[in-house]
Structures are given as C-alpha cells and as structure tokens.
Amino acid sequence: MFGIVRPCSHRLGEGLKTQWMAHLCGLCLALRGDHGQFARVVTNYDGLLISVLTEAQAEKATGWRRTAGPCPLRGMRTASVAQGEGARLAAAVSLVLASAKVRDHVADGDGLLARKPVAPAARRVATSWGRAGARSGSAVGFDTAVLVDAVDRQIGIEALAGPGTPLLTVTEPTETATAAAFAHTAVLAGRSGNAAPLAEAGRLFGRLAHLLDAVEDRETDAASGAWNPLTATGTSLTEARRLADDALHGIRLALREAEFTDGRLAHVLLVHELGRSVDRAFGTSGCGHTADGAHGPHGSLDSPGSGRLLDVQGSAVLLAPEGSFGPPPQHGGNPYTGGGNPFGGGPSFPPPAPGRRGFWAGCAAAVGLCCTCKMCCADEYEGPWSRKKREGCLSDCDCDCGCCEACQCCECCSCCDCGL
C-alpha cells in the first residue's frame, strides 16, 4: 500500500482509527468486488480520502457500513468496512491512476518493465485497469476521461520541461486530476455547494503528492538517471518546501469553506497528517504539537487572519502571499537547525534507501509480507519493490513526543480555529 497520507495511530485515537481502517478495507473490498482479487494491489492510502470525503459530507443513514469476513491483513479478524458510492469512486480513481503509473514505468523502461517479455504483459494489465476504472467511474457518474487526459498531458509536459520551466507547470495535470476526483465527492453526497472548495483542496493535494514524490525520489532518481521534476526544472528544495507549505495552507482554507456532516477524520488526514507527510519528505521530524498542547507546524495559525503558521517550536513563519519561507530561528532542538538542510538544519534527506528490487523479486517479497501480515501488523517493514521503510497500518505510533495521548485533534479543533 502506497500514498503520502499515512496517519499515526495515536493521533487518530481509537475511534478515528476504526473509521480510517473501515475506509481502507472498504476500498480494498470494492476493488475485489468489482474487478477481481488482483485489482486489490492498487489499494492505497491516498485513494481512501475519496471515500472519507464522500462519507464526511453525506447525511448519516444506514447502509454506509457492512461487516466483512476475516482477512489475513487484519489478523484474520472481521471488521466493519465502508461501502457505497464513495468506496466505488475511490476504487475507480485508484485503478485509473495505477494504470497510468504502470504505463509510465513501461515507457521509462524501469527495471524489469524494460524487458520485452514483461513490458507487453504490464501494458495489458494497465489497459485492463484503465477500462475497469472507467466502468466503475461511469457507474457513479464520474467521467475518468479527465484523469486519462491529465496523464497523457503529463507525458508531453515532462518531455518539454527543462531548466527555468515553472514547477507548477509540471504539477498541473496531477492537480487537475485530483481536483476532479475531490469535487465529485460533493456530487455523490448531494452537497453541490462543496464542489468548488473541494476542487481547490484536491488541486492542492495533487500538487503536494507530485512535490513530495519528487522530493523523496530525488536522490535515487539522480543515481539511476531517471527524470525528476525538481532536477529537470532546476527547482531548489527551499522553493519546493515553500510551495508545499503554501499548498497545505490552501487546503486548510478550502476545507473551512466546505460543509460537512462529520468532518473530523477528513480534517485530521488533510490538515494534521498531511503536514506530517511534508515534514517526513523533507527530512524534518517531531510531533506536530508544542509542549503546551497547541498545534504545531501544520496544526494552527498563530491567530486568525495573521498569515503566520507555527513551526514545531512555536515560532511564527510567514505564509504566502506575504513572502516566501525563510530559515526559522535557530533554536536548540529545532529539527531545522544544523548544517546541511536547506532551511538551516541537518542533512537534507535521510540516508538513501537500499536499491530497488526487480519486478518478480518484489512480487515474491509482497507475497511474503501479505502471508505474514507484516504489512498490517508490523511496526515497520521494508517495501517489497522500493525497499523503503514503511509502518504497518495497524502498528502503534513510534513518535517520541510524549503528548500523543492528548492529540485527539478532532476533539479539540477549536484550538486551531478550523471550525470543525
């Protein structure tokens, strides 16, 4: 399972963790139910946001949950899982984007996909997923052509991009695709007034997904000679971080304009946990809360309308449009302080991950992880293909902030003026 929003169990708390798992399992089972067992491999953490947003806007009614049978990834336990149009839309979007990703890897000749016996098979799988996603999208009134068009334009834009090309030109197709998917959740929930703000939240989420993927892969792409938007356009990490933080702030403002029946989980994932994802990608760390329990780097504005966001030590940092992000004050213990980080601290990235596995070796590793339930229950496991360290989706939080039991963000959202 992949994606940039990988929530901390302690931050979610038991109630929201149960909801999150219901949407994750619901996406997986929607893929299986409509498209067969193999389609479940495209289950991802970000795709379930579509299901979360749909349910968050809908009026409470029966039929949103069903009891699923035992599953190895849940330790052979039954569970209440999400169902309905939100889960089916999430499945459609996941399939189409996974299809595009496979075709992109085949075009780039990544790993075993460069070999003649494998590439044609991968293309057939990608074509099948694309058609299946289109069918599922049509069933819930969503035209996946906008996703396919965005993917096709992405290839052309990357081919023409070079030093001096604005980075946002490269991220635009991803922004357009995610904006359409987020906006359609308002249609499914019968909240047409939410379409515009959720389209804006989706656009900025797509920008973040593209940026963070580029940042995380920058070192490995440089080593392998693969195309990377930051390297190709000559964009500095400082500028990438500024764009990421501005996108976070924009998502926060867009969510304030939308009306939710119960927006707690959506708020935690798209405000608090997305902020943690940015810190993780840029090599910063630390709990998103200060010692007194106030929300930290992406948790709260210093004061309503101030245009300032608190860093992990509580120091104010200006947000756009007042100006770009500069180096925060040099505090002892601040994760930004030090030598190599572009913001004045530490190494820019964690040590490079071990070399990627080939396609078949990764498949074998994935089977082993599934059969041993490590993907679900282990505190940490190695990604089957990327070999990056990942947290099991049911593992306990490993943060050392000491305040996690008090971080029930959605029970005290008045402290961050989010209105939820």
Side-chain angles (χ1 to χ4, degrees):
M1 289 174 282
F2 52 94
I4 63 173
V5 182
R6 303 192 294 271
C8 161
S9 297
H10 281 158
R11 272 178 162 73
L12 288 181
E14 193 59 38
L16 293 183
K17 177 183 173 182
T18 299
Q19 289 186 40
W20 182 78
M21 284 299 301
H23 288 285
L24 182 63
C25 293
L27 169 58
C28 181
L29 293 175
L31 287 164
R32 185 197 68 178
D34 290 343
H35 311 292
Q37 289 284 0
F38 185 65
R40 299 171 80 177
V41 302
V42 307
T43 302
N44 66 94
Y45 294 131
D46 295 343
L48 69 87
L49 290 173
I50 302 295
S51 180
V52 170
L53 283 172
T54 303
E55 187 174 289
Q57 300 170 78
E59 295 297 332
K60 293 301 179 185
T62 59
W64 285 103
R65 292 283 189 274
R66 71 178 181 87
T67 301
C71 174
L73 295 180
R74 292 193 299 267
M76 298 307 295
R77 294 187 294 268
T78 60
S80 175
V81 302
Q83 64 174 351
E85 293 185 328
R88 297 186 70 188
L89 176 61
V93 171
S94 296
L95 279 168
V96 173
L97 296 183
S99 169
K101 194 173 186 69
V102 171
R103 287 192 284 116
D104 184 53
H105 283 311
V106 171
D108 291 344
D110 292 339
L112 283 177
L113 295 180
R115 299 183 181 181
K116 290 183 179 179
V118 179
R123 287 194 191 96
R124 285 195 294 271
V125 170
T127 301
S128 174
W129 282 349
R131 291 172 179 168
R135 290 195 303 271
S136 286
S138 178
V140 293
F142 180 66
D143 185 1
T144 59
V146 66
L147 307 183
V148 176
D149 175 69
V151 171
D152 291 340
R153 287 190 297 107
Q154 185 76 56
I155 296 172
I157 289 172
E158 290 181 0
L160 296 174
T165 301
L167 186 59
L168 297 188
T169 299
V170 179
T171 63
E172 181 274 324
T174 307
E175 295 177 20
T176 300
T178 51
F182 273 46
H184 197 68
T185 65
V187 177
L188 295 181
R191 298 260 192 176
S192 58
N194 284 351
L198 290 183
E200 177 66 4
R203 183 179 69 83
L204 294 173
F205 180 83
R207 178 182 300 178
L208 268 178
H210 204 130
L211 281 173
L212 299 192
D213 183 64
V215 170
E216 290 179 338
D217 293 345
R218 183 169 171 266
E219 294 291 331
T220 54
D221 286 346
S224 64
W227 194 89
N228 184 284
L230 297 181
T231 305
T233 61
T235 303
S236 68
L237 290 175
T238 303
E239 174 64 7
R241 179 67 192 240
R242 184 187 71 81
L243 292 172
D245 284 324
D246 284 354
L248 282 171
H249 185 52
I251 289 172
R252 181 193 191 86
L253 296 179
L255 290 179
R256 288 181 184 178
E257 296 178 10
E259 295 182 4
F260 296 98
T261 302
D262 183 356
R264 291 177 300 166
L265 180 59
H267 172 74
V268 168
L269 296 178
L270 287 170
V271 175
H272 300 282
E273 294 301 333
L274 195 52
R276 283 173 56 85
S277 299
V278 171
D279 287 335
R280 181 168 56 243
F282 282 91
T284 58
S285 62
C287 178
H289 298 71
T290 55
D292 61 0
H295 288 275
H298 308 294
S300 67
L301 288 172
D302 188 5
S303 60
S306 69
R308 296 192 299 168
L309 199 65
L310 299 179
D311 69 7
V312 272
Q313 299 299 324
S315 301
V317 180
L318 284 177
L319 286 172
E322 284 86 349
S324 61
F325 281 82
Q330 301 296 307
H331 299 289
N334 191 314
Y336 286 1
T337 58
N341 192 289
F343 304 96
S348 299
F349 296 91
R356 293 175 61 88
R357 288 190 179 93
F359 179 76
W360 295 113
C363 288
V367 170
L369 288 170
C370 288
C371 291
T372 58
C373 296
K374 283 190 174 181
M375 279 187 176
C376 186
C377 303
D379 289 338
E380 189 178 74
Y381 67 91
E382 191 177 77
W385 286 278
S386 67
R387 304 190 74 171
K388 294 178 181 178
K389 295 298 184 183
R390 303 192 184 281
E391 295 177 358
C393 59
L394 290 180
S395 64
D396 290 331
C397 168
D398 60 359
C399 66
D400 57 0
C401 60
C403 65
C404 282
E405 296 299 337
C407 288
Q408 307 297 328
C409 302
C410 290
E411 296 176 7
C412 61
C413 280
S414 59
C415 67
C416 60
D417 191 33
C418 67
L420 293 177

